Amino acid sequence: YTYQWNRNGDPIDGATSNTFLLSDADLDASLSVSVTGSLDGTTAPAVTSDPVGPVKASDAPRAPLFDGRSEVTVPLTATAGEPLNFTDLGATGSPLPTYTVTSETGGRAFLPEDVTFRDGILSGTATTAGVYPFVVTATNSEGQASARITLTVAPGAATGIVALVASGDTDPAQSDSLWRVATNGSVFKPGADGYVEPDATITAMQGSTIAIRTALSDRYENPVPADAAATLSSSVDTDTITYGRDGLAFVTFNHASPHVITIRQGGVVNTFTVQVSPLMTAPETATPEGAITPIPVDAAAVSKLAATGATQPAPLAPAVVLLLAGGLVLLWMRTRERRSSRRS
């Protein structure tokens, strides 16, 4: 077989292969191909295909481009909780390019949860505020192009207050003894290996202090910038509340009981409870039954005796001491006999 490609019905010089590569000269033109077959020296009449066209720009082989360039930087912004739909992030090119999404270093890209990039469209609803950089690479048989996209998700409107609480006067952000208070007042305590204890209880001893760091947050608990610092109050009037730098607050408990702490900031309120326990005091030591209580010595009387030349009474003789001891034992035994006879 022999081939001849035609543009608008006219043969194209040199276009005698069984394939034809489009060029700018083919734009808006109609193309056809004439095929001639031969067998054993016999040549059959040429057969010409129906024309195809007109050829458009997208049909000509071209490397991908983003907005007419092979490399672009695209900043995007969104708000947590609000749907996003960026539809103009695709690349031109022929054949149509395919897309890969990676990190800036070529690894896995981290997009917000529930946000996807597909065929040039970034869509979904981001709920976690933050900055998400990623790279979209468009590739076809003619080459590739890349778009460095940075999606910045801002927090929504303030709807609650989140608090971090630590024992003592240490900043909760730097403390290992920590509780986290959610916007609904629920308390969580981080544990080992990333475990978080739900429904935890904030505890303190009478006379001790806790440190509190607060932050306004949206409905997804993303921090929201505040125009004014938080103010605290307690359900127990004897509590001492002070404020430090950078929004820290301290509460000292002078009374043992449940204490309800209220935080107010930016027109939003949150409360949580601290269980304050009393200080433990050493119990008084009771004198065992039958023990002899020491008799204190009157130092003044001793001094007076010394001044008059008199002497202190001499110790009882050992026999007298034994006699007294025997009498005490006998008295105790008789008392037991009387009690036994009464019971019988």
Side-chain angles (χ1 to χ4, degrees):
Y1 295 96
T2 60
Y3 302 90
Q4 176 61 61
W5 290 89
N6 311 300
R7 181 185 297 119
N8 293 330
D10 298 325
I12 302 173
D13 291 341
T16 57
S17 174
N18 61 348
T19 60
F20 178 73
L21 184 62
L22 295 173
S23 67
D24 290 343
D26 301 310
L27 290 176
D28 297 323
S30 295
L31 301 176
S32 62
V33 60
S34 299
V35 180
T36 302
S38 60
L39 180 63
D40 295 334
T42 301
T43 301
V47 177
T48 302
S49 67
D50 293 332
V52 176
V55 176
K56 298 301 179 183
S58 59
D59 299 329
R62 290 173 294 112
L65 295 175
F66 286 100
D67 197 20
R69 292 171 290 174
S70 59
E71 293 186 4
V72 295
T73 300
V74 183
L76 303 174
T77 58
T79 301
E82 297 182 5
L84 58 89
N85 189 36
F86 298 100
T87 60
D88 56 350
L89 301 178
T92 60
S94 182
L96 290 176
T98 58
Y99 300 93
T100 57
V101 180
T102 64
S103 68
E104 293 182 313
T105 59
R108 178 187 174 188
F110 291 94
L111 296 178
E113 188 176 359
D114 297 327
V115 172
T116 60
F117 182 93
R118 183 175 291 109
D119 296 332
I121 299 174
L122 184 69
S123 61
T125 301
T127 57
T128 303
V131 178
Y132 301 87
F134 58 98
V135 177
V136 174
T137 302
T139 304
N140 68 7
S141 58
E142 303 301 309
Q144 66 179 28
S146 61
R148 296 183 176 274
I149 301 175
T150 301
L151 174 64
T152 301
V153 180
T159 58
I161 298 175
V162 175
L164 296 179
V165 181
S167 300
D169 56 2
T170 303
D171 187 340
Q174 302 172 356
S175 173
D176 294 330
S177 178
L178 178 69
W179 294 272
R180 184 178 184 276
V181 182
T183 54
N184 61 357
S186 299
V187 177
F188 302 86
K189 185 172 181 60
D193 301 327
Y195 172 77
V196 176
E197 176 188 350
D199 301 323
T201 300
I202 301 176
T203 58
M205 296 299 295
Q206 182 180 357
S208 67
T209 298
I210 61 172
I212 304 172
R213 179 174 289 282
T214 66
L216 282 175
S217 69
D218 62 12
R219 57 179 168 153
Y220 303 103
E221 296 198 351
N222 296 304
V224 177
D227 296 329
T231 59
L232 276 67
S233 61
S234 173
S235 61
V236 179
D237 293 339
T238 58
D239 287 351
T240 303
I241 299 176
T242 58
Y243 299 93
R245 297 187 303 174
D246 302 326
L248 274 176
F250 305 93
V251 181
T252 301
F253 303 106
N254 302 306
H255 179 71
S257 66
H259 296 234
V260 178
I261 305 301
T262 300
I263 309 170
R264 292 179 173 84
Q265 188 175 19
V268 184
V269 179
N270 196 3
T271 62
F272 62 92
T273 300
V274 181
Q275 183 64 50
V276 180
S277 301
L279 290 173
M280 300 299 292
T281 57
E284 295 184 0
T285 303
T287 302
E289 184 179 355
I292 299 176
T293 303
I295 301 175
V297 177
D298 189 343
V302 173
S303 178
K304 183 176 181 181
L305 289 172
T308 59
T311 60
Q312 299 185 56
L316 294 175
V320 176
V321 173
L322 291 174
L323 180 60
L324 290 174
L328 290 172
V329 171
L330 181 60
L331 178 61
W332 176 72
M333 292 179 64
R334 288 180 177 176
T335 302
R336 290 192 61 187
E337 290 175 356
R338 292 174 184 173
R339 290 177 179 173
S340 298
S341 62
R342 290 176 183 175
R343 291 175 184 172
S344 60

